[in-house]
């Protein structure tokens, strides 16, 4: 299944987490490039199941997600720096 193709999702699962577990998951979202905790959980589930991909595909996807997360963090850092520069000029 291609993670970039929109697919209608009709099933839902739920489970409880401690506040610490949830915060750790939220932190992992930005590191991995996931848009939400749900996307992160779905991605982990696909990786766990193998999703019909071979190891090199999974490794490539993991690395791509990691790099995407790093780019997102850099983007936020540049925005913060731009705000600081703008505030200093005012």
């Amino acid at each position: 299944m291609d993670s970039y193709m929109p697919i209608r999702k009709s099933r839902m699962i739920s489970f409880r987490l401690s506040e610490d577990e949830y915060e750790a998951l939220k932190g992992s979202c930005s590191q991995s490039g996931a848009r939400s905790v749900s996307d992160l959980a779905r991605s982990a589930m696909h990786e766990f199941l193998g999703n019909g991909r071979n190891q090199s595909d999974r490794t490539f996807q993991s690395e791509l997600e990691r790099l995407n997360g790093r780019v997102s963090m850099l983007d936020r850092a540049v925005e913060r720096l731009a705000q600081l520069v703008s505030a200093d000029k005012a």
Side-chain angles (χ1 to χ4, degrees):
M1 177 170 91
D2 190 346
S3 62
Y4 298 106
M5 292 179 58
I7 295 175
R8 188 176 180 322
K9 294 164 180 68
S10 60
R11 301 289 182 176
M12 186 173 89
I13 61 169
S14 66
F15 54 93
R16 296 192 180 278
L17 300 172
S18 70
E19 191 62 35
D20 289 341
E21 290 170 327
Y22 183 73
E23 290 303 318
L25 274 177
K26 280 179 32 179
S28 294
C29 286
S30 62
Q31 292 174 352
S32 69
R35 296 174 299 180
S36 66
V37 171
S38 292
D39 281 348
L40 181 64
R42 192 175 298 108
S43 176
M45 184 233 13
H46 284 294
E47 189 170 324
F48 176 78
L49 294 175
N51 201 26
R53 298 182 297 186
N54 64 34
Q55 181 61 37
S56 65
D57 286 345
R58 287 192 300 272
T59 301
F60 175 77
Q61 185 66 30
S62 288
E63 185 65 13
L64 186 60
E65 288 171 0
R66 187 185 72 76
L67 289 172
N68 189 23
R70 299 278 315 253
V71 168
S72 294
M73 288 189 317
L74 286 171
D75 186 47
R76 288 190 299 274
V78 168
E79 286 209 20
R80 283 194 304 272
L81 286 173
Q83 290 172 353
L84 289 172
V85 168
S86 293
D88 284 345
K89 289 183 180 180

